[in-house]
Short mmCIF file of all heavy atoms in Angstrom, two decimals:
data_model
loop_
_atom_site.label_atom_id
_atom_site.label_comp_id
_atom_site.label_asym_id
_atom_site.label_seq_id
_atom_site.Cartn_x
_atom_site.Cartn_y
_atom_site.Cartn_z
N SER A 1 -51.11 -22.50 -15.97
CA SER A 1 -52.00 -21.74 -15.09
C SER A 1 -53.23 -21.32 -15.91
O SER A 1 -53.09 -20.78 -17.01
CB SER A 1 -51.29 -20.50 -14.54
OG SER A 1 -52.15 -19.74 -13.72
N THR A 2 -54.42 -21.60 -15.38
CA THR A 2 -55.65 -21.37 -16.14
C THR A 2 -56.34 -20.09 -15.69
O THR A 2 -56.51 -19.84 -14.49
CB THR A 2 -56.61 -22.56 -15.97
OG1 THR A 2 -55.96 -23.75 -16.42
CG2 THR A 2 -57.89 -22.34 -16.75
N VAL A 3 -56.73 -19.30 -16.66
CA VAL A 3 -57.54 -18.10 -16.43
C VAL A 3 -58.91 -18.37 -17.04
O VAL A 3 -59.03 -18.62 -18.24
CB VAL A 3 -56.91 -16.86 -17.08
CG1 VAL A 3 -57.81 -15.64 -16.90
CG2 VAL A 3 -55.53 -16.60 -16.50
N LEU A 4 -59.96 -18.35 -16.20
CA LEU A 4 -61.31 -18.62 -16.67
C LEU A 4 -61.95 -17.33 -17.17
O LEU A 4 -61.94 -16.31 -16.47
CB LEU A 4 -62.15 -19.23 -15.55
CG LEU A 4 -61.70 -20.61 -15.06
CD1 LEU A 4 -62.57 -21.07 -13.90
CD2 LEU A 4 -61.74 -21.63 -16.20
N LEU A 5 -62.51 -17.37 -18.34
CA LEU A 5 -63.13 -16.20 -18.96
C LEU A 5 -64.57 -16.08 -18.49
O LEU A 5 -65.38 -16.98 -18.68
CB LEU A 5 -63.08 -16.32 -20.48
CG LEU A 5 -61.69 -16.51 -21.10
CD1 LEU A 5 -61.80 -16.71 -22.60
CD2 LEU A 5 -60.79 -15.33 -20.78
N LYS A 6 -64.87 -14.95 -17.85
CA LYS A 6 -66.22 -14.65 -17.40
C LYS A 6 -66.60 -13.25 -17.87
O LYS A 6 -65.76 -12.35 -17.89
CB LYS A 6 -66.31 -14.72 -15.87
CG LYS A 6 -65.93 -16.06 -15.27
CD LYS A 6 -66.07 -16.01 -13.76
CE LYS A 6 -65.66 -17.32 -13.11
NZ LYS A 6 -65.80 -17.28 -11.64
N ASN A 7 -67.88 -13.07 -18.18
CA ASN A 7 -68.33 -11.76 -18.63
C ASN A 7 -68.14 -10.69 -17.56
O ASN A 7 -67.99 -9.51 -17.86
CB ASN A 7 -69.80 -11.82 -19.04
CG ASN A 7 -70.00 -12.62 -20.31
OD1 ASN A 7 -69.09 -12.72 -21.13
ND2 ASN A 7 -71.18 -13.19 -20.47
N THR A 8 -68.14 -11.11 -16.30
CA THR A 8 -68.05 -10.16 -15.19
C THR A 8 -66.62 -9.88 -14.74
O THR A 8 -66.41 -9.10 -13.82
CB THR A 8 -68.85 -10.70 -13.99
OG1 THR A 8 -68.36 -12.00 -13.64
CG2 THR A 8 -70.34 -10.79 -14.31
N VAL A 9 -65.65 -10.54 -15.38
CA VAL A 9 -64.25 -10.36 -14.98
C VAL A 9 -63.48 -9.78 -16.17
O VAL A 9 -63.13 -10.50 -17.11
CB VAL A 9 -63.62 -11.68 -14.53
CG1 VAL A 9 -62.17 -11.48 -14.11
CG2 VAL A 9 -64.42 -12.29 -13.38
N PRO A 10 -63.19 -8.46 -16.16
CA PRO A 10 -62.55 -7.83 -17.32
C PRO A 10 -61.05 -8.08 -17.44
O PRO A 10 -60.48 -7.96 -18.52
CB PRO A 10 -62.83 -6.34 -17.11
CG PRO A 10 -62.96 -6.20 -15.63
CD PRO A 10 -63.57 -7.48 -15.14
N SER A 11 -60.39 -8.40 -16.33
CA SER A 11 -58.94 -8.53 -16.38
C SER A 11 -58.47 -9.57 -15.36
O SER A 11 -59.22 -9.97 -14.47
CB SER A 11 -58.27 -7.18 -16.09
OG SER A 11 -58.61 -6.72 -14.80
N ALA A 12 -57.21 -9.98 -15.51
CA ALA A 12 -56.60 -10.94 -14.58
C ALA A 12 -55.10 -10.76 -14.63
O ALA A 12 -54.56 -10.06 -15.50
CB ALA A 12 -56.99 -12.37 -14.95
N GLU A 13 -54.41 -11.37 -13.68
CA GLU A 13 -52.96 -11.25 -13.63
C GLU A 13 -52.34 -12.58 -13.24
O GLU A 13 -52.88 -13.32 -12.41
CB GLU A 13 -52.54 -10.18 -12.63
CG GLU A 13 -51.04 -9.91 -12.58
CD GLU A 13 -50.66 -8.76 -11.67
OE1 GLU A 13 -51.55 -8.28 -10.93
OE2 GLU A 13 -49.50 -8.33 -11.69
N GLY A 14 -51.21 -12.89 -13.86
CA GLY A 14 -50.45 -14.07 -13.51
C GLY A 14 -49.06 -13.68 -13.03
O GLY A 14 -48.48 -12.70 -13.51
N ARG A 15 -48.54 -14.44 -12.06
CA ARG A 15 -47.21 -14.15 -11.51
C ARG A 15 -46.44 -15.45 -11.31
O ARG A 15 -47.01 -16.46 -10.92
CB ARG A 15 -47.32 -13.42 -10.17
CG ARG A 15 -47.93 -12.02 -10.26
CD ARG A 15 -48.08 -11.41 -8.86
NE ARG A 15 -48.61 -10.06 -8.91
CZ ARG A 15 -47.87 -8.97 -9.03
NH1 ARG A 15 -46.54 -9.07 -9.13
NH2 ARG A 15 -48.42 -7.77 -9.06
N PHE A 16 -45.15 -15.40 -11.58
CA PHE A 16 -44.28 -16.53 -11.26
C PHE A 16 -42.86 -15.99 -11.10
O PHE A 16 -42.58 -14.82 -11.38
CB PHE A 16 -44.35 -17.62 -12.34
CG PHE A 16 -43.86 -17.20 -13.71
CD1 PHE A 16 -42.54 -17.40 -14.09
CD2 PHE A 16 -44.73 -16.63 -14.62
CE1 PHE A 16 -42.09 -17.03 -15.34
CE2 PHE A 16 -44.29 -16.24 -15.88
CZ PHE A 16 -42.97 -16.45 -16.24
N ARG A 17 -41.94 -16.84 -10.63
CA ARG A 17 -40.54 -16.46 -10.44
C ARG A 17 -39.63 -17.43 -11.18
O ARG A 17 -40.04 -18.55 -11.52
CB ARG A 17 -40.17 -16.45 -8.95
CG ARG A 17 -40.91 -15.42 -8.11
CD ARG A 17 -40.53 -15.57 -6.65
NE ARG A 17 -41.32 -14.73 -5.77
CZ ARG A 17 -40.99 -13.51 -5.39
NH1 ARG A 17 -39.84 -12.98 -5.81
NH2 ARG A 17 -41.77 -12.80 -4.58
N ILE A 18 -38.41 -17.01 -11.38
CA ILE A 18 -37.36 -17.88 -11.92
C ILE A 18 -36.46 -18.27 -10.74
O ILE A 18 -36.12 -17.43 -9.90
CB ILE A 18 -36.54 -17.17 -13.00
CG1 ILE A 18 -37.46 -16.63 -14.10
CG2 ILE A 18 -35.51 -18.13 -13.59
CD1 ILE A 18 -38.29 -17.67 -14.80
N ALA A 19 -36.08 -19.54 -10.68
CA ALA A 19 -35.29 -20.05 -9.55
C ALA A 19 -34.08 -20.82 -10.06
O ALA A 19 -33.97 -21.17 -11.24
CB ALA A 19 -36.16 -20.95 -8.67
N MET A 20 -33.16 -21.11 -9.12
CA MET A 20 -32.04 -22.00 -9.41
C MET A 20 -31.67 -22.74 -8.13
O MET A 20 -32.12 -22.38 -7.03
CB MET A 20 -30.85 -21.23 -9.97
CG MET A 20 -30.30 -20.15 -9.09
SD MET A 20 -29.01 -19.22 -9.98
CE MET A 20 -28.57 -18.02 -8.73
N ALA A 21 -30.88 -23.78 -8.28
CA ALA A 21 -30.63 -24.70 -7.16
C ALA A 21 -29.79 -24.07 -6.05
O ALA A 21 -30.03 -24.30 -4.87
CB ALA A 21 -29.96 -25.97 -7.68
N LYS A 22 -28.78 -23.27 -6.41
CA LYS A 22 -27.90 -22.70 -5.39
C LYS A 22 -27.45 -21.31 -5.84
O LYS A 22 -27.47 -20.99 -7.03
CB LYS A 22 -26.69 -23.61 -5.16
CG LYS A 22 -25.82 -23.81 -6.39
CD LYS A 22 -24.65 -24.72 -6.11
CE LYS A 22 -23.77 -24.86 -7.35
NZ LYS A 22 -22.57 -25.68 -7.07
N PRO A 23 -27.06 -20.47 -4.91
CA PRO A 23 -26.67 -19.10 -5.26
C PRO A 23 -25.42 -19.06 -6.13
O PRO A 23 -24.58 -19.94 -6.10
CB PRO A 23 -26.42 -18.44 -3.90
CG PRO A 23 -27.07 -19.33 -2.90
CD PRO A 23 -27.01 -20.71 -3.45
N GLU A 24 -25.34 -17.98 -6.91
CA GLU A 24 -24.15 -17.70 -7.70
C GLU A 24 -23.39 -16.53 -7.06
O GLU A 24 -23.92 -15.81 -6.19
CB GLU A 24 -24.54 -17.34 -9.14
CG GLU A 24 -25.10 -18.49 -9.95
CD GLU A 24 -24.02 -19.48 -10.39
OE1 GLU A 24 -22.82 -19.10 -10.39
OE2 GLU A 24 -24.38 -20.63 -10.73
N THR A 25 -22.17 -16.33 -7.50
CA THR A 25 -21.34 -15.25 -6.95
C THR A 25 -21.53 -13.94 -7.71
O THR A 25 -20.84 -12.96 -7.45
CB THR A 25 -19.86 -15.66 -6.98
OG1 THR A 25 -19.49 -15.98 -8.33
CG2 THR A 25 -19.62 -16.87 -6.07
N GLN A 26 -22.44 -13.95 -8.66
CA GLN A 26 -22.77 -12.74 -9.39
C GLN A 26 -24.25 -12.77 -9.75
O GLN A 26 -24.90 -13.82 -9.69
CB GLN A 26 -21.93 -12.64 -10.67
CG GLN A 26 -22.17 -13.79 -11.65
CD GLN A 26 -21.33 -13.68 -12.89
OE1 GLN A 26 -20.65 -12.70 -13.10
NE2 GLN A 26 -21.38 -14.71 -13.74
N ASP A 27 -24.82 -11.61 -10.09
CA ASP A 27 -26.21 -11.56 -10.50
C ASP A 27 -26.43 -12.44 -11.73
O ASP A 27 -25.58 -12.50 -12.62
CB ASP A 27 -26.62 -10.13 -10.84
CG ASP A 27 -26.77 -9.26 -9.60
OD1 ASP A 27 -26.56 -9.78 -8.48
OD2 ASP A 27 -27.11 -8.08 -9.76
N VAL A 28 -27.57 -13.11 -11.74
CA VAL A 28 -27.97 -13.89 -12.92
C VAL A 28 -29.02 -13.08 -13.67
O VAL A 28 -30.10 -12.81 -13.16
CB VAL A 28 -28.54 -15.27 -12.52
CG1 VAL A 28 -29.04 -16.01 -13.75
CG2 VAL A 28 -27.48 -16.09 -11.78
N ALA A 29 -28.67 -12.66 -14.86
CA ALA A 29 -29.57 -11.85 -15.69
C ALA A 29 -30.38 -12.77 -16.61
O ALA A 29 -29.82 -13.64 -17.28
CB ALA A 29 -28.77 -10.85 -16.52
N ILE A 30 -31.70 -12.54 -16.64
CA ILE A 30 -32.60 -13.43 -17.38
C ILE A 30 -33.52 -12.58 -18.24
O ILE A 30 -34.08 -11.58 -17.78
CB ILE A 30 -33.45 -14.27 -16.40
CG1 ILE A 30 -32.55 -15.06 -15.45
CG2 ILE A 30 -34.40 -15.19 -17.17
CD1 ILE A 30 -33.23 -15.43 -14.16
N SER A 31 -33.70 -12.96 -19.47
CA SER A 31 -34.69 -12.31 -20.34
C SER A 31 -35.76 -13.33 -20.71
O SER A 31 -35.47 -14.52 -20.87
CB SER A 31 -34.03 -11.74 -21.59
OG SER A 31 -33.47 -12.77 -22.37
N LEU A 32 -36.99 -12.84 -20.83
CA LEU A 32 -38.13 -13.70 -21.14
C LEU A 32 -38.82 -13.20 -22.39
O LEU A 32 -38.69 -12.02 -22.75
CB LEU A 32 -39.12 -13.74 -19.98
CG LEU A 32 -38.55 -14.24 -18.66
CD1 LEU A 32 -38.48 -13.09 -17.67
CD2 LEU A 32 -39.36 -15.38 -18.12
N LYS A 33 -39.58 -14.07 -23.01
CA LYS A 33 -40.33 -13.67 -24.19
C LYS A 33 -41.57 -14.56 -24.34
O LYS A 33 -41.64 -15.65 -23.78
CB LYS A 33 -39.48 -13.76 -25.44
CG LYS A 33 -39.10 -15.19 -25.85
CD LYS A 33 -38.34 -15.20 -27.18
CE LYS A 33 -38.00 -16.62 -27.61
NZ LYS A 33 -37.31 -16.66 -28.91
N VAL A 34 -42.53 -14.05 -25.08
CA VAL A 34 -43.68 -14.85 -25.50
C VAL A 34 -43.27 -15.61 -26.75
O VAL A 34 -42.75 -15.02 -27.71
CB VAL A 34 -44.90 -13.94 -25.77
CG1 VAL A 34 -46.04 -14.76 -26.37
CG2 VAL A 34 -45.34 -13.26 -24.49
N GLU A 35 -43.49 -16.93 -26.74
CA GLU A 35 -43.08 -17.77 -27.87
C GLU A 35 -44.29 -18.51 -28.45
O GLU A 35 -44.66 -19.60 -28.00
CB GLU A 35 -42.02 -18.76 -27.42
CG GLU A 35 -41.48 -19.65 -28.54
CD GLU A 35 -41.04 -18.85 -29.75
OE1 GLU A 35 -39.91 -18.33 -29.74
OE2 GLU A 35 -41.85 -18.73 -30.70
N PRO A 36 -44.96 -17.92 -29.46
CA PRO A 36 -46.16 -18.55 -30.03
C PRO A 36 -45.93 -19.96 -30.54
O PRO A 36 -46.85 -20.79 -30.51
CB PRO A 36 -46.55 -17.60 -31.17
CG PRO A 36 -45.97 -16.28 -30.77
CD PRO A 36 -44.68 -16.61 -30.08
N ALA A 37 -44.74 -20.26 -31.02
CA ALA A 37 -44.48 -21.59 -31.58
C ALA A 37 -44.67 -22.71 -30.56
O ALA A 37 -44.91 -23.86 -30.93
CB ALA A 37 -43.06 -21.63 -32.15
N LEU A 38 -44.58 -22.36 -29.27
CA LEU A 38 -44.71 -23.39 -28.23
C LEU A 38 -46.16 -23.81 -27.98
O LEU A 38 -46.41 -24.74 -27.22
CB LEU A 38 -44.08 -22.89 -26.93
CG LEU A 38 -42.55 -22.78 -26.95
CD1 LEU A 38 -42.04 -22.15 -25.66
CD2 LEU A 38 -41.92 -24.14 -27.16
N VAL A 39 -47.12 -23.15 -28.61
CA VAL A 39 -48.51 -23.58 -28.48
C VAL A 39 -48.67 -25.01 -29.01
O VAL A 39 -49.42 -25.81 -28.45
CB VAL A 39 -49.46 -22.62 -29.22
CG1 VAL A 39 -50.89 -23.17 -29.26
CG2 VAL A 39 -49.46 -21.26 -28.55
N SER A 40 -47.95 -25.36 -30.05
CA SER A 40 -48.01 -26.73 -30.59
C SER A 40 -47.49 -27.73 -29.58
O SER A 40 -47.98 -28.87 -29.49
CB SER A 40 -47.23 -26.83 -31.90
OG SER A 40 -45.87 -26.49 -31.70
N THR A 41 -46.48 -27.34 -28.79
CA THR A 41 -45.96 -28.21 -27.73
C THR A 41 -47.04 -28.44 -26.67
O THR A 41 -47.24 -29.57 -26.20
CB THR A 41 -44.71 -27.59 -27.09
OG1 THR A 41 -43.73 -27.37 -28.09
CG2 THR A 41 -44.15 -28.50 -26.00
N TYR A 42 -47.74 -27.36 -26.30
CA TYR A 42 -48.83 -27.49 -25.33
C TYR A 42 -49.93 -28.41 -25.88
O TYR A 42 -50.40 -29.31 -25.18
CB TYR A 42 -49.41 -26.11 -25.01
CG TYR A 42 -50.70 -26.18 -24.22
CD1 TYR A 42 -50.67 -26.30 -22.83
CD2 TYR A 42 -51.94 -26.17 -24.86
CE1 TYR A 42 -51.85 -26.39 -22.10
CE2 TYR A 42 -53.11 -26.27 -24.13
CZ TYR A 42 -53.06 -26.37 -22.76
OH TYR A 42 -54.22 -26.47 -22.04
N ASN A 43 -50.34 -28.20 -27.12
CA ASN A 43 -51.40 -29.01 -27.70
C ASN A 43 -51.01 -30.49 -27.77
O ASN A 43 -51.84 -31.37 -27.53
CB ASN A 43 -51.74 -28.50 -29.11
CG ASN A 43 -52.55 -27.22 -29.07
OD1 ASN A 43 -53.24 -26.94 -28.10
ND2 ASN A 43 -52.46 -26.42 -30.13
#
């Protein structure tokens, strides 16, 4: 998802969800993190 930098835009927000193919019989707990090492994968 691309955020374009403009002098007139001080802030922005991104949103997404986590999904799965079918429901489970209990809550699915998920933790997320920022992973700088994956920048090399993007490049």
Side-chain angles (χ1 to χ4, degrees):
S1 178
T2 301
V3 177
L4 295 177
L5 304 176
K6 301 180 182 180
N7 290 334
T8 56
V9 181
S11 61
E13 184 175 9
R15 294 177 178 272
F16 64 93
R17 296 177 187 268
I18 306 300
M20 59 186 179
K22 61 180 182 177
E24 291 285 341
T25 57
Q26 61 181 353
D27 287 0
V28 176
I30 304 156
S31 63
L32 301 111
K33 68 175 182 178
V34 173
E35 182 51 82
L38 290 174
V39 172
S40 60
T41 302
Y42 170 85
N43 285 335

